[in-house]
Amino acid sequence: MRPRSYWGWGYEDAALEPERRRQLALLVGTQIDASQLAALAPRPLDAVALPPPRVAAPAALAPILRFDARERAGHTYGKAYRDVVRALRGEFEPAPDAVALPRSDAEVAAVLEWCSENGYAAIPYGGGSSVVGGVEARCKADFPAAVSIDLRRLAGLIEVDASSRAALIAAGTYGPAIEDALKPHGMTLRHYPQSFELSTLGGWLATRAGGHFATLHTHIDDLTESLTAITPRGTIETRRLPASGAGPAPERLLLGSEGAFGIITRAWMRVVPRPTFRASSTVRFADFYAGARAARALAQSGLYPANCRLLDARETLLNGVGDGSASFLLVAFESADHPLDAWLERALELCREHGGVPGGGEAAPRLDLADGAGDDASARWRRMFLRAPYLRDALIELGVVVETFETAVLWRDFEALHRSLLETAQRAAGAVCGSALVTSRITHVYPDGAAPYFTVIAPGRAGSHVSQWDEIKAAVSDAIVAGGATITHHHAVGRDHRPWYQEERAALFGASLRAVKAELDPAGVLNPGVLI
Ligand SMILES: Cc1cc2nc3c(=O)[nH]c(=O)nc-3n(C[C@H](O)[C@H](O)[C@H](O)COP(=O)(O)OP(=O)(O)OC[C@H]3O[C@@H](n4cnc5c(N)ncnc54)[C@H](O)[C@@H]3O)c2cc1C
């Protein structure tokens, strides 16, 4: 297997090259005070001390249980900023005692039975790209053991139903493997979260992931026809139907359940023919909020662009899309059925009505940190989208506090919330770190609202990186709730968002979730501490 970093994002051989690290450091130095950064250096895995495992493998499970340092260290954290920092510092107290690698539904059930009988915490693990503490055994001290259950061996395309345009896919299949397998059938799942390279179908379903398409079917939910989940009480397999009015939808109980109710092992997903027609443009806006009003007009027009992403001026600089002097809306349409020129023309007309100037962004960027074809602004943005996690890790190694937060809010409240979040993030990061760069973009648009997304880049202090970010995060999360928005549009709840999630959900709904968990997981071992 291609070796993956045990402490950060991605494959070891894909880390950012030295010359690009230098360019990145120079650019960051123009935006924040980088004179006193406390760099963090990864240590070799054999220099990392892990707490000894508290369990041994029972004979029946020995072939699928691992206790070695690489597996345990690699399954200790997700990929949030605070996870990468702790791993770089060699802090592995929450390491699972064992990592299970089941190869079948029967083996998933056997691992769950072992955990339930012995009261071991059982933590489902897909690609481990959670940014909300979703895969971390933070509950470890309350349980005699914690077992990370990695689905990577339950992978692959199982069946294609071409006439119904659906595909049965195993839950441990990573994004690129899904698309590779569907390609010979001329199909695509059309779901591209930024973590696509190293996240799985099961993780997407369990967290209700959002892909990069900006309108219509933004979340994995809408692409899900049916799914199978193994719980400590047995298996739930929902029916394949195009639609049904028969009571609450069973798969909706498991979508977003974050491993607390059961382990999803496969799902029938709605697939579509690969697009052959494309039309796209960038649109320049002197004012970000004029761009937001154009995005709203597009969202309410019924045109449903595949991309409708508004980057503020500073985002354009970091993404190599522009020079940092204006906001850019990236508009794109795609279809496997018809040319899209008329759609694009109408979209640009709407943008012009809001002061947008189509084109631009092609000037030589101050930063181009990713290789790939195409040199227009949209192509550069696409390259940076998938390369960004590697850049983030390089910044973390430099000693920079670098993290994102996101939300969704009604258009009615959008502008006030966006201003308040920018101000709160800037103030909190300035107070905690001395200086800060806060950038934002709109990632998804709906007829009734939008999903704004923010990046914070600030100088870290030795030994305080995690607490610095935690303070900023608490301030912006309070502002999100106060502004009537949601604690997450697509990053999920996990352990980190739970206090704010509990504030936004109805108490009776919370009680209902607890009742469902008590029924499906009577021993309370499945991913303790997420959601509930
Ligand atoms: C750089 C970066 C970019 C990201 N971009 C996006 C984005 O664009 N859109 C987005 O939605 N999210 C994004 N995320 C967050 C993350 O990738 C998603 O939450 C993703 O859906 C997690 O998938 P995974 O396979 O890695 O799951 P994991 O991180 O392994 O697990 C996530 C949660 O799901 C549970 N789980 C995993 N597999 C199963 C299963 N088979 N059955 C039951 N429970 C399970 C875990 O216990 C955990 O609670 C990003 C994260 C990073 C680090």
Side-chain angles (χ1 to χ4, degrees), residues 40-378:
L40 292 160
R43 55 196 82 199
L45 185 57
D46 52 18
V48 169
L50 293 176
R54 299 172 294 171
V55 276
L61 296 179
I64 58 163
L65 287 178
R66 298 279 183 279
F67 299 89
D68 60 279
R70 179 164 280 275
E71 290 288 3
R72 291 182 59 222
H75 287 79
T76 303
Y77 296 120
K79 296 293 176 288
Y81 169 73
R82 59 198 318 285
D83 300 334
V84 176
V85 169
R86 287 179 294 165
L88 277 171
R89 290 205 302 228
E91 298 169 4
F92 282 95
E93 289 77 20
D97 296 285
V99 176
L101 298 169
R103 295 162 296 193
S104 62
D105 281 17
E107 287 184 349
V108 171
V111 174
L112 283 184
E113 194 181 331
W114 179 54
C115 290
S116 290
E117 277 174 2
N118 295 285
Y120 300 158
I123 304 183
Y125 187 100
S129 68
S130 169
V131 283
V132 290
V135 294
E136 179 183 337
R138 220 171 275 173
C139 55
K140 202 174 154 183
D142 301 328
F143 291 80
V147 181
S148 177
I149 305 171
D150 184 328
L151 279 291
R152 70 180 186 238
R153 283 164 147 188
L154 274 177
L157 176 63
I158 302 166
E159 193 181 334
V160 173
D161 173 352
S163 58
S164 316
R165 279 204 185 149
L168 179 62
I169 304 169
T173 319
Y174 282 80
I178 293 174
E179 289 303 322
D180 287 350
L182 288 173
K183 205 170 187 174
H185 299 272
M187 295 288 166
T188 170
L189 179 58
R190 207 174 174 276
H191 182 75
Y192 298 99
Q194 191 171 31
S195 53
F196 175 77
E197 184 184 20
L198 286 162
S199 56
T200 62
L201 176 67
W204 300 342
L205 297 166
T207 60
R208 301 182 61 203
H212 82 183
F213 291 108
T215 65
L216 215 57
H217 304 310
T218 55
H219 285 80
I220 196 77
D221 316 20
D222 304 318
L223 312 178
T224 310
E225 192 176 78
S226 77
L227 51 76
T228 301
I230 316 275
T231 81
R233 288 288 304 277
T235 299
I236 297 181
E237 186 166 354
T238 73
R239 289 186 61 199
R240 287 191 62 202
L241 289 167
S244 165
E251 50 284 328
R252 291 269 166 189
L253 190 68
L254 292 149
L255 288 166
S257 60
E258 300 196 19
F261 294 170
I263 298 190
I264 299 162
T265 56
R266 60 183 169 276
W268 274 99
M269 302 302 297
R270 301 189 171 105
V271 293
V272 290
R274 301 176 74 77
T276 43
F277 298 93
R278 288 194 172 82
S280 67
S281 177
T282 52
V283 186
R284 187 186 175 94
F285 287 90
D287 172 33
F288 179 80
Y289 294 109
R293 288 189 281 279
R296 184 179 75 196
L298 280 173
Q300 294 174 346
S301 67
L303 289 168
Y304 299 121
N307 200 357
C308 183
R309 193 169 284 246
L310 179 67
L311 312 185
D312 79 4
R314 286 168 296 190
E315 281 261 322
T316 68
L317 181 67
L318 291 181
N319 284 274
V321 168
D323 62 4
S325 64
S327 298
F328 274 96
L329 184 67
L330 309 175
V331 188
F333 292 89
E334 57 174 53
S335 167
D337 182 70
H338 47 263
L340 294 149
D341 303 333
W343 276 253
L344 183 62
E345 209 172 291
R346 175 65 188 135
L348 295 182
E349 213 169 78
L350 286 170
C351 289
R352 280 192 205 94
E353 283 169 20
H354 291 86
V357 180
E362 284 87 8
R366 282 177 54 192
L367 189 72
D368 197 1
L369 292 171
D371 294 320
D375 198 36
D376 58 39
S378 302

